[in-house]
Amino acid sequence: MSLSAVPGSVRVRAPGKINLFLEVGDVQPDGYHDVASVYQAVSLVEQVTATPADAFSVRVVDESGAAVPGVPTDDRNLALRAARLVAREVGYLGGVHLDIRKAVPVAGGMGGGSADAAAALVACDALWGAGLTSPALHELAARLGADVPFSLLGGSAVGTGRGDRLSPALARARFDWVIVTDGGGLSTPAVYAELDRLRGGGRPDIEPAPRPPAVDPVILQALRSGSPDVLAGALRNDLQDAACALRPDLADLLDQGAAAGAVAGLVSGSGPTVAFLAAGDESARRLQQTLSAAGRRARHVYGPVTGAKVVTR
């Protein structure tokens, strides 16, 4: 199939995510870990604008328009790889320029790069009039990374395997969160390696790897209940101890959030972003103000929200 880009540009938004539940299995022969996870897409979104071009290029800025350090703009960029993947899949012979406006923390455990890739898939499909089906986009997303399919889907979902085998999870209500970020990131492979080291070291407070990992039904019941108090008791992240071992200050932050009124707190994914669950909108606003006054970079978000979607053509 030979396609031509439509005039103008296409802008797509895709959400960051919080891992409400993450059970990590043993490392596999290919170096990856099987996981069982429950994701929730939240209102911190990445924005990707795709414009026709002769070649493939990308520019990355933050919400203020400033350059974002630490994000590659060559073929290591996941959104650029997504664009090339769509082009190969549909036989498009031109290029595209991607403008990425980031709100999700870089290397923060909230899937910002995956959201960029999901947005790029949807944007290029729309720009080139390819008409790819949802299953086809999901298959391309899975080739790019475990979190990319969820960024397409959004909402709340159970992920198994490497996290890319998804099934929707019913969440009856809005949940309010305060996320706290800092200027430094954590390497996801380093956090998984630290978890393996802790498990191998015989620490009594570190549970052995489950075989196979599975989502506790309690977390799904908590989502259906719509109660922050019920959800608080079901949150789990097997990577949290490893992230705190690499960044001991995260444990102090978790204690600070609890003292400031959070219903619960956990490291999001591989960290270092920490997500605090609040009792509701007003409680989240007070928590955000308290943590900000203490010098933390705190932001009030909510979920679940929809996945990657076109907002302008």
Side-chain angles (χ1 to χ4, degrees), residues 55-76:
F56 289 84
S57 61
V58 62
R59 184 176 76 108
V60 184
V61 299
D62 64 17
E63 292 175 288
S64 72
V68 178
V71 178
T73 55
D74 55 18
D75 282 342
R76 294 172 296 165

PDB file of all heavy atoms in Angstrom, residues 55-76:
ATOM      1  N   ALA A  55      11.656  13.375   5.997  1.00  0.00           N
ATOM      2  CA  ALA A  55      12.417  12.414   6.781  1.00  0.00           C
ATOM      3  C   ALA A  55      11.741  12.242   8.138  1.00  0.00           C
ATOM      4  O   ALA A  55      10.706  12.849   8.427  1.00  0.00           O
ATOM      5  CB  ALA A  55      13.856  12.881   6.943  1.00  0.00           C
ATOM      6  N   PHE A  56      12.338  11.416   8.992  1.00  0.00           N
ATOM      7  CA  PHE A  56      11.817  11.179  10.330  1.00  0.00           C
ATOM      8  C   PHE A  56      12.629  11.984  11.339  1.00  0.00           C
ATOM      9  O   PHE A  56      13.858  11.876  11.385  1.00  0.00           O
ATOM     10  CB  PHE A  56      11.882   9.688  10.684  1.00  0.00           C
ATOM     11  CG  PHE A  56      10.903   8.849   9.924  1.00  0.00           C
ATOM     12  CD1 PHE A  56      11.203   8.389   8.642  1.00  0.00           C
ATOM     13  CD2 PHE A  56       9.675   8.509  10.481  1.00  0.00           C
ATOM     14  CE1 PHE A  56      10.298   7.612   7.932  1.00  0.00           C
ATOM     15  CE2 PHE A  56       8.755   7.740   9.775  1.00  0.00           C
ATOM     16  CZ  PHE A  56       9.064   7.293   8.501  1.00  0.00           C
ATOM     17  N   SER A  57      11.933  12.790  12.155  1.00  0.00           N
ATOM     18  CA  SER A  57      12.624  13.599  13.157  1.00  0.00           C
ATOM     19  C   SER A  57      11.709  13.818  14.342  1.00  0.00           C
ATOM     20  O   SER A  57      10.493  13.627  14.255  1.00  0.00           O
ATOM     21  CB  SER A  57      13.061  14.949  12.571  1.00  0.00           C
ATOM     22  OG  SER A  57      11.930  15.695  12.129  1.00  0.00           O
ATOM     23  N   VAL A  58      12.311  14.229  15.472  1.00  0.00           N
ATOM     24  CA  VAL A  58      11.524  14.439  16.682  1.00  0.00           C
ATOM     25  C   VAL A  58      12.119  15.580  17.486  1.00  0.00           C
ATOM     26  O   VAL A  58      13.335  15.779  17.515  1.00  0.00           O
ATOM     27  CB  VAL A  58      11.467  13.146  17.537  1.00  0.00           C
ATOM     28  CG1 VAL A  58      12.852  12.718  18.001  1.00  0.00           C
ATOM     29  CG2 VAL A  58      10.522  13.307  18.724  1.00  0.00           C
ATOM     30  N   ARG A  59      11.253  16.354  18.105  1.00  0.00           N
ATOM     31  CA  ARG A  59      11.645  17.410  19.047  1.00  0.00           C
ATOM     32  C   ARG A  59      10.892  17.165  20.336  1.00  0.00           C
ATOM     33  O   ARG A  59       9.696  16.854  20.324  1.00  0.00           O
ATOM     34  CB  ARG A  59      11.300  18.796  18.490  1.00  0.00           C
ATOM     35  CG  ARG A  59      11.759  19.965  19.374  1.00  0.00           C
ATOM     36  CD  ARG A  59      11.453  21.288  18.696  1.00  0.00           C
ATOM     37  NE  ARG A  59      10.028  21.603  18.788  1.00  0.00           N
ATOM     38  CZ  ARG A  59       9.521  22.566  19.566  1.00  0.00           C
ATOM     39  NH1 ARG A  59      10.324  23.306  20.313  1.00  0.00           N
ATOM     40  NH2 ARG A  59       8.223  22.801  19.583  1.00  0.00           N
ATOM     41  N   VAL A  60      11.589  17.314  21.467  1.00  0.00           N
ATOM     42  CA  VAL A  60      10.987  17.015  22.771  1.00  0.00           C
ATOM     43  C   VAL A  60      11.123  18.226  23.680  1.00  0.00           C
ATOM     44  O   VAL A  60      12.247  18.714  23.907  1.00  0.00           O
ATOM     45  CB  VAL A  60      11.652  15.788  23.425  1.00  0.00           C
ATOM     46  CG1 VAL A  60      10.951  15.440  24.745  1.00  0.00           C
ATOM     47  CG2 VAL A  60      11.643  14.595  22.485  1.00  0.00           C
ATOM     48  N   VAL A  61       9.992  18.699  24.211  1.00  0.00           N
ATOM     49  CA  VAL A  61       9.998  19.828  25.135  1.00  0.00           C
ATOM     50  C   VAL A  61       9.103  19.490  26.325  1.00  0.00           C
ATOM     51  O   VAL A  61       8.288  18.566  26.274  1.00  0.00           O
ATOM     52  CB  VAL A  61       9.525  21.137  24.471  1.00  0.00           C
ATOM     53  CG1 VAL A  61      10.446  21.524  23.315  1.00  0.00           C
ATOM     54  CG2 VAL A  61       8.074  21.003  23.991  1.00  0.00           C
ATOM     55  N   ASP A  62       9.245  20.277  27.398  1.00  0.00           N
ATOM     56  CA  ASP A  62       8.352  20.100  28.537  1.00  0.00           C
ATOM     57  C   ASP A  62       7.135  21.004  28.381  1.00  0.00           C
ATOM     58  O   ASP A  62       6.946  21.649  27.343  1.00  0.00           O
ATOM     59  CB  ASP A  62       9.094  20.334  29.856  1.00  0.00           C
ATOM     60  CG  ASP A  62       9.605  21.759  30.019  1.00  0.00           C
ATOM     61  OD1 ASP A  62       9.133  22.671  29.299  1.00  0.00           O
ATOM     62  OD2 ASP A  62      10.482  21.983  30.871  1.00  0.00           O
ATOM     63  N   GLU A  63       6.310  21.085  29.418  1.00  0.00           N
ATOM     64  CA  GLU A  63       5.064  21.849  29.323  1.00  0.00           C
ATOM     65  C   GLU A  63       5.304  23.346  29.151  1.00  0.00           C
ATOM     66  O   GLU A  63       4.440  24.066  28.653  1.00  0.00           O
ATOM     67  CB  GLU A  63       4.209  21.602  30.562  1.00  0.00           C
ATOM     68  CG  GLU A  63       3.673  20.185  30.642  1.00  0.00           C
ATOM     69  CD  GLU A  63       2.918  19.912  31.925  1.00  0.00           C
ATOM     70  OE1 GLU A  63       3.563  19.812  32.985  1.00  0.00           O
ATOM     71  OE2 GLU A  63       1.681  19.814  31.869  1.00  0.00           O
ATOM     72  N   SER A  64       6.494  23.817  29.537  1.00  0.00           N
ATOM     73  CA  SER A  64       6.828  25.229  29.370  1.00  0.00           C
ATOM     74  C   SER A  64       7.461  25.522  28.017  1.00  0.00           C
ATOM     75  O   SER A  64       7.704  26.674  27.679  1.00  0.00           O
ATOM     76  CB  SER A  64       7.773  25.680  30.486  1.00  0.00           C
ATOM     77  OG  SER A  64       9.067  25.125  30.305  1.00  0.00           O
ATOM     78  N   GLY A  65       7.762  24.461  27.249  1.00  0.00           N
ATOM     79  CA  GLY A  65       8.423  24.631  25.959  1.00  0.00           C
ATOM     80  C   GLY A  65       9.932  24.501  26.016  1.00  0.00           C
ATOM     81  O   GLY A  65      10.603  24.653  24.993  1.00  0.00           O
ATOM     82  N   ALA A  66      10.488  24.191  27.188  1.00  0.00           N
ATOM     83  CA  ALA A  66      11.932  24.044  27.332  1.00  0.00           C
ATOM     84  C   ALA A  66      12.365  22.640  26.937  1.00  0.00           C
ATOM     85  O   ALA A  66      11.596  21.673  27.052  1.00  0.00           O
ATOM     86  CB  ALA A  66      12.353  24.336  28.778  1.00  0.00           C
ATOM     87  N   ALA A  67      13.608  22.533  26.467  1.00  0.00           N
ATOM     88  CA  ALA A  67      14.156  21.227  26.092  1.00  0.00           C
ATOM     89  C   ALA A  67      14.189  20.294  27.304  1.00  0.00           C
ATOM     90  O   ALA A  67      14.353  20.740  28.444  1.00  0.00           O
ATOM     91  CB  ALA A  67      15.558  21.390  25.519  1.00  0.00           C
ATOM     92  N   VAL A  68      14.020  19.010  27.052  1.00  0.00           N
ATOM     93  CA  VAL A  68      13.990  18.010  28.121  1.00  0.00           C
ATOM     94  C   VAL A  68      15.278  17.199  28.069  1.00  0.00           C
ATOM     95  O   VAL A  68      15.504  16.450  27.115  1.00  0.00           O
ATOM     96  CB  VAL A  68      12.775  17.072  27.971  1.00  0.00           C
ATOM     97  CG1 VAL A  68      12.777  16.014  29.062  1.00  0.00           C
ATOM     98  CG2 VAL A  68      11.480  17.871  27.992  1.00  0.00           C
ATOM     99  N   PRO A  69      16.141  17.338  29.066  1.00  0.00           N
ATOM    100  CA  PRO A  69      17.381  16.553  29.062  1.00  0.00           C
ATOM    101  C   PRO A  69      17.093  15.076  29.310  1.00  0.00           C
ATOM    102  O   PRO A  69      16.117  14.711  29.972  1.00  0.00           O
ATOM    103  CB  PRO A  69      18.178  17.154  30.225  1.00  0.00           C
ATOM    104  CG  PRO A  69      17.149  17.744  31.136  1.00  0.00           C
ATOM    105  CD  PRO A  69      16.045  18.226  30.245  1.00  0.00           C
ATOM    106  N   GLY A  70      17.950  14.243  28.754  1.00  0.00           N
ATOM    107  CA  GLY A  70      17.838  12.812  29.013  1.00  0.00           C
ATOM    108  C   GLY A  70      16.922  12.058  28.085  1.00  0.00           C
ATOM    109  O   GLY A  70      16.783  10.837  28.215  1.00  0.00           O
ATOM    110  N   VAL A  71      16.266  12.743  27.159  1.00  0.00           N
ATOM    111  CA  VAL A  71      15.386  12.064  26.198  1.00  0.00           C
ATOM    112  C   VAL A  71      16.063  12.089  24.829  1.00  0.00           C
ATOM    113  O   VAL A  71      16.306  13.172  24.283  1.00  0.00           O
ATOM    114  CB  VAL A  71      14.007  12.740  26.117  1.00  0.00           C
ATOM    115  CG1 VAL A  71      13.134  12.035  25.083  1.00  0.00           C
ATOM    116  CG2 VAL A  71      13.322  12.725  27.476  1.00  0.00           C
ATOM    117  N   PRO A  72      16.374  10.926  24.252  1.00  0.00           N
ATOM    118  CA  PRO A  72      17.060  10.922  22.957  1.00  0.00           C
ATOM    119  C   PRO A  72      16.159  11.446  21.846  1.00  0.00           C
ATOM    120  O   PRO A  72      14.936  11.296  21.894  1.00  0.00           O
ATOM    121  CB  PRO A  72      17.399   9.445  22.744  1.00  0.00           C
ATOM    122  CG  PRO A  72      16.373   8.704  23.542  1.00  0.00           C
ATOM    123  CD  PRO A  72      16.113   9.562  24.748  1.00  0.00           C
ATOM    124  N   THR A  73      16.775  12.051  20.853  1.00  0.00           N
ATOM    125  CA  THR A  73      16.020  12.527  19.691  1.00  0.00           C
ATOM    126  C   THR A  73      16.468  11.828  18.410  1.00  0.00           C
ATOM    127  O   THR A  73      16.150  12.275  17.315  1.00  0.00           O
ATOM    128  CB  THR A  73      16.162  14.055  19.542  1.00  0.00           C
ATOM    129  OG1 THR A  73      17.544  14.401  19.487  1.00  0.00           O
ATOM    130  CG2 THR A  73      15.519  14.781  20.723  1.00  0.00           C
ATOM    131  N   ASP A  74      17.219  10.739  18.578  1.00  0.00           N
ATOM    132  CA  ASP A  74      17.608   9.927  17.426  1.00  0.00           C
ATOM    133  C   ASP A  74      16.754   8.664  17.423  1.00  0.00           C
ATOM    134  O   ASP A  74      15.685   8.629  18.032  1.00  0.00           O
ATOM    135  CB  ASP A  74      19.112   9.605  17.476  1.00  0.00           C
ATOM    136  CG  ASP A  74      19.516   8.931  18.789  1.00  0.00           C
ATOM    137  OD1 ASP A  74      18.630   8.405  19.507  1.00  0.00           O
ATOM    138  OD2 ASP A  74      20.720   8.941  19.110  1.00  0.00           O
ATOM    139  N   ASP A  75      17.209   7.618  16.745  1.00  0.00           N
ATOM    140  CA  ASP A  75      16.390   6.416  16.607  1.00  0.00           C
ATOM    141  C   ASP A  75      16.234   5.626  17.900  1.00  0.00           C
ATOM    142  O   ASP A  75      15.528   4.614  17.922  1.00  0.00           O
ATOM    143  CB  ASP A  75      16.957   5.513  15.506  1.00  0.00           C
ATOM    144  CG  ASP A  75      16.591   6.007  14.110  1.00  0.00           C
ATOM    145  OD1 ASP A  75      15.647   6.808  14.014  1.00  0.00           O
ATOM    146  OD2 ASP A  75      17.240   5.592  13.137  1.00  0.00           O
ATOM    147  N   ARG A  76      16.849   6.076  18.979  1.00  0.00           N
ATOM    148  CA  ARG A  76      16.572   5.464  20.284  1.00  0.00           C
ATOM    149  C   ARG A  76      15.249   5.957  20.856  1.00  0.00           C
ATOM    150  O   ARG A  76      14.706   5.339  21.776  1.00  0.00           O
ATOM    151  CB  ARG A  76      17.694   5.778  21.270  1.00  0.00           C
ATOM    152  CG  ARG A  76      19.049   5.166  20.922  1.00  0.00           C
ATOM    153  CD  ARG A  76      20.116   5.709  21.848  1.00  0.00           C
ATOM    154  NE  ARG A  76      20.285   7.153  21.671  1.00  0.00           N
ATOM    155  CZ  ARG A  76      20.922   7.944  22.516  1.00  0.00           C
ATOM    156  NH1 ARG A  76      21.435   7.448  23.633  1.00  0.00           N
ATOM    157  NH2 ARG A  76      21.042   9.238  22.254  1.00  0.00           N
TER     158      ARG A  76
END
